[in-house]
């Protein structure tokens, strides 16, 4: 069993090599991202393994089909980089639905605390032996209202942490979690109530047609003055230009971003010696109330181990049984996890 592994980083290999050796799987690593110009590298493999910034469009799917490759392994939960409608009936898409909800939820809280308590600024000052407290005043999380959009596994862990701080939680999800609602940890409300009543808004939903630019000019216009926006999910959930205008107008008090809409050619790479041509990102990073990390919320030892294990177990199970519970299908006009195990 052979896998062509694209967009490889050093931290990927440790966990994948260990698990692959246990399952008798061979992996050929490529540093380049998968796209229509690099797909030929997968020739001879039984499957391709991709991450969030690889491109699996019509041309790539057709090329894989011509090479006899029918399995696409996503080492992530999201699949917005895959043309699922076109993939249906042509290639089996197997994902990692949950690798470590704690990793992402904890990173969101870390960004929030760093921002509102000015920890990043204090760190830089103290490195220069400047121990002044001027300009470092923050605010308590206790008693504040946080709006959580998306109450899947990550969203629920984030809610648990927020409750530990003594926060009031408002939640919105297209498919509300009955157990969560009955627990009293969060109150499900309409999306407009999230905008109007939240001091902090955190995104934990997938990127779909419905959620694309869910944070936009109109949404921000309804928000409280000084609202804090957190995004550790997918960059295109936030209209970056609208966010920038919200910051400039003082409507947005702070932004904590681990993802960015146009990140694919920037994140996961060292661009420190290059001129940043993305003016919107450059201006966001220059703002004193914006923190940007490079899609690292998932990056813990536990998550990397779980990603490798689930990805390769998915591959093994599908090769042996012809089906896998973590397969993503396109049915009823939308993508969802496979129910039948016999999608085509």
């Amino acid at each position: 069993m052979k896998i062509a592994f694209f967009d490889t980083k050093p931290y990927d290999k440790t966990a994948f090599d260990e698990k692959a050796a246990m399952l008798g799987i061979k992996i050929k690593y490529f540093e380049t991202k998968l796209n229509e110009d690099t797909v030929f590298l997968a020739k001879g493999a039984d499957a391709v393994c991709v991450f969030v910034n690889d491109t699996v469009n019509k041309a790539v799917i057709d090329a894989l089909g011509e090479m006899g490759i029918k399995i696409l392994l996503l080492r992530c939960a999201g699949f917005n980089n895959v043309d699922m409608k076109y993939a249906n009936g042509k290639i089996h898409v197997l994902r990692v639905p949950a690798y470590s909800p704690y990793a992402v939820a904890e990173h969101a809280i870390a960004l929030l605390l760093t921002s509102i308590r000015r920890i990043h600024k204090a760190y830089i000052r103290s490195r220069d032996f400047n121990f002044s407290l001027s300009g470092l005043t923050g605010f308590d999380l206790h008693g504040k209202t946080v709006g959580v959009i998306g109450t899947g596994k990550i969203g629920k862990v984030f809610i648990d942490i927020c409750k530990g701080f003594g926060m009031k939680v408002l939640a919105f999800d297209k498919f509300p979690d009955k157990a969560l609602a009955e627990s009293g940890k969060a109150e499900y409300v309409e999306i407009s109530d999230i905008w109007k009543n939240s001091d902090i808004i955190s995104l934990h939903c997938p990127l779909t047609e419905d959620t694309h630019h869910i944070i936009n000019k109109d949404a921000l216009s309804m928000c409280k003055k000084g609202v804090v926006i957190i995004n550790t999910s997918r960059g295109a959930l936030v209209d970056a230009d609208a966010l920038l205008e919200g910051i400039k107008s003082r409507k947005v008090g702070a932004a904590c971003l681990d993802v960015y809409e146009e990140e694919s050619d920037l994140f996961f790479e060292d661009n420190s010696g290059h001129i940043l041509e993305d003016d919107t990102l450059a201006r966001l990073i220059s703002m004193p109330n914006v923190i940007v990390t490079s899609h690292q919320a998932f990056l813990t030892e536990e998550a990397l181990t779980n990603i490798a294990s689930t990805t390769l177990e998915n591959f093994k199970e599908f090769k042996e049984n012809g089906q896998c519970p973590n397969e993503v299908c396109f049915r009823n006009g939308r993508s969802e996890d496979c129910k039948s195990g016999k999608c085509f």
Side-chain angles (χ1 to χ4, degrees):
M1 297 189 289
K2 299 178 182 179
I3 296 174
F5 194 105
F6 288 85
D7 197 14
T8 306
K9 297 294 183 291
Y11 47 77
D12 291 317
K13 291 184 178 182
T14 303
F16 271 91
D17 280 345
E18 182 177 344
K19 185 66 177 180
M22 294 171 58
L23 297 178
I25 296 172
K26 294 182 180 180
I27 301 177
K28 188 169 185 179
Y29 294 104
F30 300 101
E31 292 185 7
T32 185
K33 295 181 177 67
L34 176 65
N35 55 47
E36 53 197 80
D37 295 322
T38 62
V39 65
F40 71 92
L41 295 170
K43 187 175 182 179
D46 299 298
V48 293
C49 183
V50 301
F51 198 47
V52 295
N53 289 327
D54 291 294
T55 300
V56 190
N57 57 19
K58 178 180 178 180
V60 170
I61 293 168
D62 284 342
L64 292 174
E66 290 172 4
M67 290 186 280
I69 299 173
K70 298 294 185 181
I71 302 174
L72 177 69
L73 303 171
L74 301 175
R75 55 184 191 275
C76 52
F79 40 83
N80 55 281
N81 57 327
V82 180
D83 186 338
M84 287 301 307
K85 186 174 183 180
Y86 189 75
N88 193 50
K90 299 178 181 67
I91 191 167
H92 297 275
V93 181
L94 314 179
R95 70 172 184 143
V96 181
Y99 36 87
S100 176
Y102 305 101
V104 180
E106 289 170 9
H107 190 78
I109 289 292
L111 288 175
L112 175 61
L113 286 171
T114 299
S115 175
I116 67 169
R117 297 307 304 269
R118 315 292 192 262
I119 294 170
H120 55 310
K121 296 181 181 299
Y123 172 77
I124 293 171
R125 284 189 189 185
S126 63
R127 297 282 293 179
D128 290 331
F129 307 110
N130 175 359
F131 302 111
S132 166
L133 297 182
S134 178
L136 299 182
T137 304
F139 62 82
D140 293 354
L141 288 179
H142 183 85
K144 297 297 186 297
T145 298
V146 58
V148 179
I149 300 178
T151 56
K153 290 177 177 161
I154 296 172
K156 284 187 281 191
V157 172
F158 182 81
I159 287 170
D160 283 341
I161 298 173
C162 289
K163 294 301 290 185
F165 279 103
M167 303 177 75
K168 177 182 179 180
V169 180
L170 302 179
F172 174 81
D173 198 301
K174 189 175 181 180
F175 304 98
D177 186 303
K178 184 178 179 181
L180 177 63
E182 292 176 347
S183 72
K185 293 179 180 179
E187 176 188 357
Y188 277 103
V189 297
E190 296 299 322
I191 192 69
S192 59
D193 294 315
I194 296 285
W195 308 140
K196 294 174 184 177
N197 300 313
S198 301
D199 301 298
I200 298 155
I201 297 173
S202 192
L203 302 174
H204 299 284
C205 54
L207 177 60
T208 66
E209 290 182 2
D210 293 334
T211 61
H212 182 265
H213 284 184
I214 193 169
I215 299 285
N216 53 38
K217 182 179 180 180
D218 292 338
L220 291 174
S221 70
M222 291 186 279
C223 289
K224 288 184 176 183
K225 183 178 175 61
V227 65
V228 178
I229 304 294
I230 308 170
N231 188 11
T232 53
S233 294
R234 286 293 182 266
L237 296 174
V238 176
D239 182 335
D241 291 321
L243 178 64
L244 181 59
E245 287 303 312
I247 292 168
K248 289 165 61 180
S249 68
R250 277 58 172 183
K251 167 65 83 167
V252 176
C256 306
L257 310 174
D258 185 54
V259 289
Y260 176 65
E261 186 169 7
E262 303 297 333
E263 72 177 53
S264 59
D265 293 327
L266 296 169
F267 283 19
F268 307 113
E269 307 294 341
D270 181 359
N271 296 292
S272 58
H274 302 277
I275 302 298
L276 183 61
E277 296 183 2
D278 189 320
D279 292 339
T280 301
L281 180 59
R283 295 190 72 183
L284 283 170
I285 290 176
S286 73
M287 294 292 176
N289 54 347
V290 175
I291 297 177
V292 176
T293 53
S294 54
H295 208 134
Q296 73 178 73
F298 78 98
L299 196 61
T300 66
E301 292 181 0
E302 292 84 354
L304 290 172
T305 298
N306 291 338
I307 288 170
S309 180
T310 303
T311 301
L312 297 182
E313 290 286 357
N314 284 346
F315 179 50
K316 182 175 183 290
E317 182 168 352
F318 194 90
K319 289 290 286 183
E320 292 179 351
N321 303 316
Q323 62 186 58
C324 173
N326 292 329
E327 180 171 3
V328 186
C329 304
F330 188 89
R331 54 160 58 87
N332 302 322
R334 67 187 182 92
S335 299
E336 58 185 38
D337 286 342
C338 181
K339 300 295 191 298
S340 68
K342 298 178 181 179
C343 302
F344 60 91

